[in-house]
Amino acid sequence: MTSLLFTLLLFANPIDIDAQAAQRGLEIAQEADRRDTGFGDNVSKMDMILTNRKGKQSTRHMRNRALEQADDGDKLLILFDHPRDVKGTAFLAFTHRVGQDDQWLYLPALKRVKRISSSNKSGPFMGSEFAYEDLTSQEVEKYRYAYEGEETVDGQAAFKVTRFPNDPDSGYTRQIVWYDQAEYRILKIAYYDRKDSLLKTLTYHDYQQYLDKFWRADRWLMVNHQTGKKTELVFHAYAFQTGLGDRDFDQNSLKRAR
Amino acid sequence: MRPIRRQALFVFRTLFPESAIKVLTAALLLSVSFPFLQAGEWSGQAALEAFGFSRGGSEPQQENTAFSVFVEPEYYHAWDNDRQSLTVKAFFRYDTQDAERTHVDVRELTWLRAADSWEWRLGVRKVFWGVTESFHLVDIINQTDLVENLDGEEKLGQPMANLAWINDWGTVDLFLLTGFRERTFAGADGRLRGGTVVDSDLAHYASGAEDQRLDAAIRYQHSVAAWDVGVSHFHGTSREPLFTPVARDGAVVLAPYYPVIDQTGLDVQGTFGSWLLKLEGAYRHGFGETDFAAAVAGFEYTFFDVKATGLDIGVLMEFLWDERDAAATHPFADDVFVGTRWALNDTWDTTFLGGVVWDRENAGRFWNLEASRRLSDQLKLSLEMRTFSNTESPDLLHGFHRDDHLRLELGYFW
């Protein structure tokens, strides 16, 4: 009897710790999500600065609109302003907590709305170091989690959580996410490629609070450790609860969005 | 009449036919009653273009090279919280070889008003319907600006009143098309015109109202889960003409004849992971003696981010069918299209599209290669290569058998 109990303990313990780590990791992700719930809608302008290994830069300008959904992922609309040859192009996504997202692209020269595949998760967005999956909505349900412990990031006490993408199209085996303990804001993400080598690190800078609740970083910096390329996102003109609705995120509005 | 003068007259009559004049006056009155001078936005494109043909044309005046330039300025102004806007887009091309290719057009002059359950558009615009890549069967609202590109994707502005009624169960679009535009055709000195010149001055119509006939169209569009479906009907003057050979000044030319037709269209796309399944079907009545059906169906499959390089490789295949078979008025009555689309997803947006349309009956092959790359924030280089091989006389592509060409375009965007 004693030996049976001993055996059970021996085997139960590591499994128990894993389950605990998973539970704790999920709780942190859920808490971060809960704290950002209720934003309703937001709009922002975004400059994307691409820097190659030699330091040469090129810039893109776009405008983002997001609409929160009660029981599903957010709706997103991105309007491209620069470079000038893609001006007028617009991207609409209905993200889903479970299953494939729906995505459409509006091509202004042809006046054509094209339903596009959302399987492109790992490919570069606008030639940048951001993959599509880095920019679409980060639903809790899209990952499995493991809590790794506490660490300090730039002087801030942080929770360290590893998350594993559920989507087989993801370009990552895992991501390590650091949340600050005070506000559950993401401070840093390390991305590991399909060979489980460190590929990129994203750091968030200059967090601002909106409506006394919602935190958004003004600057995101993505560094690719394998190529030496960098992409910086600079956000400005953030506004929340501007009165956008589902009608501002349909194919009709995609055609007239400017 | 000199083509440029005719084009100017075209534009004038398009802008100011009696049926559209009230509509445009209303739009204009509305537009001046708002503070426009404040915040309009200008953008546009200009480009240099060079054509090189592998052989001379069938007639000595058809040169092996041609140069041209176009400019397309656009003005946009929105107000009322972006619920109303005015868009104006003009187009002018000058071609060194072909006077018919030198032309002007108002691509857009639209007043838009959007509400929760409807959108209202008045003026000149372009509308696209369809899903397939090799051939556009369902797309019927605008006239093709054929001198611009053989692919038929360049369109002349169409004057209209359009009401979109937006519901949970889909969008219903109603179109009243005020005034007809004649298709543009290359002149005697131009290339890519086939063996016989089309003389637009000889255009005639089934309708007594000629190019002033009021045409109408309706379309229902809805997206449910993986499916995007459109059903449409058009009643009016056919955008595609029929041709009758006539003798003029000792030569045979083709006179375009625009009958009144009814066309019902269906376009469906299913999106499943990396697969896009596509279908376009059309049934046309009143175009020639017998009614006919036509369809294009196929797929596009994309390998995304190949070996984590960012490269996307798409594979496309489409089957083209027309009930009229050898009597069809386009060359793709029983054909297969196979193509590939490469996107490097690099800083310069480098893309490549290549394919061949293969005639299953006559074994004629139409090769099409397109590539483009951004050179700077404002410059973009595009390359197009087209060849017509193995075409025999009954094949409509045979008219282009001397027209294998390379086209280079340098575009400046502001």
Side-chain angles (χ1 to χ4, degrees):
Chain A
M1 187 65 197
T2 320
S3 76
L4 182 64
L5 198 67
F6 182 74
T7 315
L8 272 176
L9 274 173
L10 192 73
F11 283 97
N13 238 352
I15 293 163
D16 206 34
I17 286 167
D18 265 1
Q20 266 179 22
Q23 183 58 32
R24 182 79 186 105
L26 177 65
E27 279 167 10
I28 292 168
Q30 282 171 335
E31 178 61 18
D33 187 59
R34 193 191 63 76
R35 287 179 184 227
D36 201 49
T37 300
F39 73 82
D41 68 82
N42 69 45
V43 298
S44 62
K45 290 183 178 176
M46 180 169 114
D47 300 335
M48 181 180 251
I49 304 148
L50 281 61
T51 311
N52 73 8
R53 217 173 331 186
K54 292 170 191 157
K56 192 166 183 290
Q57 293 192 331
S58 62
T59 307
R60 287 114 175 68
H61 301 304
M62 54 206 94
R63 284 166 290 143
N64 303 327
R65 297 173 189 172
L67 182 70
E68 191 176 24
Q69 299 290 296
D71 298 307
D72 206 349
D74 300 342
K75 292 182 179 180
L76 308 170
L77 185 70
I78 303 175
L79 309 171
F80 299 94
D81 291 327
H82 195 92
R84 298 306 271 183
D85 62 297
V86 297
K87 182 184 155 52
T89 305
F91 171 79
L92 175 68
F94 293 180
T95 67
H96 299 301
R97 289 180 185 171
V98 181
Q100 296 248 330
D101 295 346
D102 302 323
Q103 297 181 347
W104 294 266
L105 196 63
Y106 176 65
L107 305 167
L110 296 175
K111 303 279 173 204
R112 180 173 178 179
V113 173
K114 235 176 158 173
R115 174 79 169 264
I116 57 172
S117 167
S118 62
S119 295
N120 188 5
K121 294 292 191 308
S122 59
F125 177 81
M126 295 286 285
S128 75
E129 297 313 307
F130 284 86
Y132 281 86
E133 62 185 307
D134 305 338
L135 290 169
T136 50
S137 102
Q138 313 276 311
E139 300 298 328
V140 173
E141 292 82 353
K142 293 195 167 175
Y143 304 91
R144 285 165 293 119
Y145 299 86
Y147 178 63
E148 306 280 357
E150 298 186 6
E151 268 182 22
T152 304
V153 178
D154 285 337
Q156 296 186 79
F159 298 120
K160 182 180 175 186
V161 176
T162 300
R163 60 183 190 189
F164 304 91
N166 288 325
D167 193 327
D169 291 324
S170 173
Y172 311 118
T173 48
R174 61 192 166 108
Q175 300 171 5
I176 302 174
V177 185
W178 286 265
Y179 297 89
D180 83 82
Q181 294 184 10
E183 300 286 350
Y184 286 77
R185 298 168 302 195
I186 296 181
L187 301 176
K188 187 165 113 174
I189 304 177
Y191 298 89
Y192 290 79
D193 67 13
R194 291 188 179 122
K195 293 174 195 137
D196 206 30
S197 318
L198 178 63
L199 176 64
K200 305 183 291 194
T201 304
L202 172 62
T203 49
Y204 294 83
H205 307 269
D206 307 332
Y207 266 105
Q208 311 284 342
Q209 196 173 26
Y210 299 89
L211 305 181
D212 291 328
K213 183 173 179 192
F214 309 104
W215 291 96
R216 291 291 182 276
D218 279 351
R219 260 176 3 98
W220 303 18
L221 181 64
M222 181 73 92
V223 178
N224 187 319
H225 303 291
Q226 297 182 5
T227 63
K229 293 183 190 171
K230 285 187 287 194
T231 299
E232 186 181 2
L233 304 185
V234 179
F235 291 89
H236 42 99
Y238 251 118
F240 281 72
Q241 297 178 1
T242 61
L244 292 176
D246 285 316
R247 255 296 269 132
D248 299 297
F249 294 82
D250 65 15
Q251 288 180 56
N252 294 292
S253 61
L254 184 64
K255 279 186 243 180
R256 65 183 162 82
R258 293 285 292 248
Chain B
M1 207 189 305
R2 287 287 300 157
I4 187 74
R5 246 189 75 202
R6 198 171 66 225
Q7 287 291 344
L9 197 69
F10 250 179
V11 170
F12 184 80
R13 279 172 58 194
T14 308
L15 287 178
F16 307 105
E18 283 173 64
S19 45
I21 200 155
K22 288 173 195 158
V23 159
L24 284 157
T25 312
L28 207 67
L29 282 174
L30 266 155
S31 63
V32 294
S33 58
F34 289 93
F36 266 93
L37 297 171
Q38 301 178 350
E41 176 192 303
W42 285 93
S43 60
Q45 183 190 357
L48 298 168
E49 180 197 59
F51 268 100
F53 292 87
S54 64
R55 292 204 270 172
S58 50
E59 289 172 56
Q61 77 274 19
Q62 293 181 282
E63 301 281 347
N64 277 10
T65 52
F67 299 93
S68 87
V69 54
F70 83 79
V71 57
E72 192 177 50
E74 183 171 353
Y75 174 83
Y76 172 80
H77 181 61
W79 67 98
D80 189 12
N81 223 349
D82 286 355
R83 289 280 166 131
Q84 297 195 58
S85 67
L86 177 80
T87 310
V88 185
K89 190 166 162 187
F91 176 86
F92 170 70
R93 179 182 291 282
Y94 174 75
D95 190 277
T96 56
Q97 279 303 313
D98 185 358
E100 292 287 340
R101 217 173 164 247
T102 296
H103 67 301
V104 294
D105 187 37
V106 175
R107 294 292 202 229
E108 276 188 82
L109 175 53
T110 313
W111 169 53
L112 160 91
R113 179 153 155 59
D116 277 343
S117 59
W118 51 266
E119 290 179 9
W120 179 232
R121 288 172 173 90
L122 288 181
V124 178
R125 37 190 294 258
K126 172 174 164 180
V127 171
F128 179 84
W129 299 342
V131 292
T132 54
E133 303 300 325
S134 57
F135 197 60
H136 304 305
L137 267 181
V138 167
D139 189 35
I140 197 167
I141 293 291
N142 289 74
Q143 180 59 274
T144 300
D145 195 356
L146 195 61
V147 295
E148 278 301 303
N149 200 316
L150 213 55
D151 67 13
E153 287 185 349
E154 296 297 326
K155 299 290 180 183
L156 296 170
Q158 170 67 47
M160 69 174 79
N162 165 218
L163 179 70
W165 181 35
I166 297 145
N167 299 282
D168 295 340
W169 43 265
T171 298
V172 179
D173 267 293
L174 300 169
F175 296 89
L176 203 59
L177 308 165
T178 57
F180 175 82
R181 312 291 312 276
E182 283 178 24
R183 184 164 292 195
T184 59
F185 295 98
D189 299 337
R191 300 295 301 257
L192 296 163
R193 62 164 164 81
T196 317
V197 174
V198 177
D199 190 338
S200 296
D201 289 343
L202 301 176
H204 52 297
Y205 296 84
S207 167
E210 300 204 318
D211 61 355
Q212 297 296 308
R213 192 185 184 283
L214 209 59
D215 299 337
I218 181 167
R219 177 176 163 89
Y220 168 74
Q221 200 280 331
H222 195 35
S223 300
V224 188
W227 297 96
D228 291 63
V229 181
V231 183
S232 54
H233 188 83
F234 170 89
H235 173 72
T237 299
S238 174
R239 275 44 185 153
E240 182 193 354
L242 289 160
F243 297 104
T244 30
V246 286
R248 194 184 188 189
D249 305 332
V252 175
V253 295
L254 297 175
Y257 170 67
Y258 295 96
V260 173
I261 62 159
D262 276 275
Q263 176 168 313
T264 306
L266 170 73
D267 55 272
V268 182
Q269 182 177 314
T271 306
F272 301 93
S274 302
W275 289 93
L276 310 180
L277 309 180
K278 299 171 175 196
L279 168 73
E280 283 191 30
Y283 187 84
R284 193 183 287 186
H285 165 80
F287 192 75
E289 308 252 298
T290 46
D291 297 0
F292 66 92
V296 182
F299 68 84
E300 178 166 353
Y301 181 87
T302 307
F303 301 92
F304 289 109
D305 193 23
V306 175
K307 291 189 188 294
T309 55
L311 169 69
D312 298 335
I313 300 178
V315 180
L316 299 92
M317 189 167 186
E318 288 176 1
F319 294 88
L320 301 92
W321 170 81
D322 189 306
E323 195 182 356
R324 294 170 295 175
D325 207 17
T329 47
H330 60 83
F332 307 122
D334 184 16
D335 289 55
V336 183
F337 163 69
V338 182
T340 181
R341 194 199 301 274
W342 293 47
L344 264 57
N345 293 306
D346 55 356
T347 315
W348 307 278
D349 247 336
T350 312
T351 58
F352 170 87
L353 174 71
V356 58
V357 185
W358 189 296
D359 192 313
R360 303 211 304 165
E361 219 138 291
N362 302 311
R365 292 186 290 272
F366 167 51
W367 287 90
N368 179 35
L369 301 175
E370 294 170 22
S372 71
R373 182 181 172 89
R374 191 182 301 127
L375 300 178
S376 78
D377 281 350
Q378 295 188 296
L379 285 175
K380 184 177 173 177
L381 191 66
S382 310
L383 185 80
E384 212 171 75
M385 194 179 89
R386 291 191 172 141
T387 69
F388 309 85
S389 60
N390 218 20
T391 57
E392 297 293 336
S393 186
D395 189 341
L396 290 175
L397 284 179
H398 188 66
F400 300 101
H401 75 287
R402 303 179 71 90
D403 287 333
D404 292 356
H405 67 272
L406 204 66
R407 175 192 196 175
L408 202 62
E409 189 180 87
L410 181 65
Y412 174 78
F413 298 81
W414 70 86

